[in-house]
Amino acid sequence: MPLPTKKRTREQFGRVAAKYRCSADHTDLEDLDLLFSGLSPEAGHRVLDVATGGGHTALALAGRGVRVVASDLTPRMLREARTLAAETGAENIEFAVADAEALPFSDAAFDRVTCRIAPHHFPDIRAAVKEITRVTRPGGRIGIIDSVVPGDPALDAFMNGIEKVRDPSHVRSYRNEEWLEFITDAGLVPLQIASLWKTHAFPEWVARTGQPKAVQREIEQMFLSAFPLARQTFRILTEEGRVVSYSDEKIILVAKAPDASPAR
Amino acid sequence: MDKDLLEILACPKCKGELRLSADETELRCAACRLIYRIEDGIPILLVDEAEPYE
């Protein structure tokens, strides 16, 4: 188990927790509407939001009358999420510090499980998907949103390379095909796969992970010197030698847990 | 600590039952002999941060 990555994740998000609570990219919830249309959370459902971060998904769920458990590896992120919950007056939400690869919940405990813009931080994605599957009841649904990269290896390397410089706890943004494989290998049945391109205002995006100015400048340089296909694919917009914005793709995936548990 | 949550919590290591201490400051797994502390009302359910006990 590559523990150093998890330690880095906790250090990283402990430092910048408040920025994620207020982040424009995390509070713009267009992707959640798409997710919820396939996930169909119903009042009274018990729902787990894995790696809740600033708690935006958990709160959106709480607003739908479900009983939410929000988990995260970083205690400070959960305290930020709790602050946000208190501000909105949500009461049907509980918190637990947990590792996505070793979830502290009994089998089949949840009707729905969500995980939004977080799997790219998990050192062992397959272990996490397996755990998420374990805690979902038979016939229950799993909803995942994460950044993905195009199939072209050069575009894949370009975007993952940039993300790693920007955020030391970034492990990998996967291709859509990889996601489909993780899901089906865990015994889940895909119900809905949607995709959404999201535009990021560069100055806020680059500052969010709390990197020094020199690193931020290095990232900007990587965008400025992008090869033509990368510039076009990621819609890199520049003005007078500065990066204004770029876009990346999110996968919005809903899968179903098998109706009966397979024999163990 | 919320009773509804306690009902579905399990030891992250063995997935077995966790027992809440009388003062509600920690959760114990009797099978793994591990104590998970509760900090500021939030249980820290990480195997690496659990304390072994005899």
Side-chain angles (χ1 to χ4, degrees), chain A residues 56-96:
Chain A
H56 305 293
T57 307
L59 272 170
L61 285 162
R64 292 181 168 236
V66 305
R67 295 171 294 164
V68 186
V69 178
S71 77
D72 202 275
L73 187 62
T74 311
R76 258 206 79 187
M77 288 295 322
L78 282 186
R79 287 201 288 273
E80 288 292 338
R82 191 164 62 177
T83 302
L84 194 63
E87 282 169 6
T88 58
E91 284 176 353
N92 46 341
I93 176 164
E94 299 294 330
F95 300 91

Side-chain angles (χ1 to χ4, degrees), chain B residues 13-32:
Chain B
K13 192 173 176 188
C14 73
K15 315 302 179 191
E17 192 187 335
L18 289 175
R19 190 150 290 189
L20 182 66
S21 65
D23 61 1
E24 304 205 354
T25 59
E26 60 186 43
L27 291 156
R28 280 180 187 227
C29 173
C32 299

Side-chain angles (χ1 to χ4, degrees), chain A residues 91-234:
Chain A
E91 284 176 353
N92 46 341
I93 176 164
E94 299 294 330
F95 300 91
V97 174
D99 180 343
E101 295 164 18
L103 290 172
F105 306 104
S106 45
D107 296 0
F110 297 95
D111 300 287
R112 301 286 187 265
V113 180
T114 56
C115 186
R116 175 170 174 257
I117 327 184
H120 60 268
H121 292 294
F122 301 159
D124 186 345
I125 183 69
R126 287 176 183 275
V129 174
K130 197 174 158 198
E131 273 294 83
I132 286 172
T133 307
R134 180 184 65 79
V135 302
T136 307
R137 70 156 162 85
R141 293 182 188 190
I142 288 158
I144 287 168
I145 297 180
D146 204 11
S147 306
V148 285
V149 292
D152 182 301
L155 292 172
D156 177 336
F158 175 82
M159 191 44 76
N160 273 302
I162 282 180
E163 289 283 11
K164 274 192 184 130
V165 176
R166 173 180 170 258
D167 178 354
S169 65
H170 179 88
V171 173
R172 172 167 167 71
S173 297
Y174 301 95
R175 289 177 284 112
N176 284 334
E177 295 77 16
E178 288 175 283
W179 265 114
L180 205 54
E181 196 185 304
F182 300 149
I183 290 297
T184 49
D185 284 359
L188 299 166
V189 182
L191 292 181
Q192 172 193 295
I193 299 171
S195 145
L196 194 70
W197 280 82
K198 198 157 184 166
T199 301
H200 305 270
F202 185 79
E204 190 218 344
W205 176 85
V206 78
R208 191 182 311 138
T209 55
Q211 292 279 30
K213 284 272 182 263
V215 177
Q216 295 184 25
R217 188 65 204 154
E218 183 189 342
I219 296 162
E220 186 161 24
Q221 211 49 53
M222 290 169 89
F223 273 110
L224 290 171
S225 57
F227 56 99
L229 184 61
R231 178 173 283 265
Q232 186 189 349
T233 304
F234 300 115

Side-chain angles (χ1 to χ4, degrees), chain B:
Chain B
M1 173 130 204
D2 185 74
K3 295 289 171 281
D4 203 45
L5 174 63
L6 188 60
E7 208 172 89
I8 53 167
L9 287 183
C11 171
K13 192 173 176 188
C14 73
K15 315 302 179 191
E17 192 187 335
L18 289 175
R19 190 150 290 189
L20 182 66
S21 65
D23 61 1
E24 304 205 354
T25 59
E26 60 186 43
L27 291 156
R28 280 180 187 227
C29 173
C32 299
R33 314 297 287 174
L34 286 175
I35 297 174
Y36 299 93
R37 67 184 191 281
I38 299 171
E39 235 173 54
D40 199 10
I42 300 177
I44 314 291
L45 295 161
L46 303 173
V47 179
D48 292 335
E49 300 215 2
E51 294 271 348
Y53 71 94
E54 282 312 311

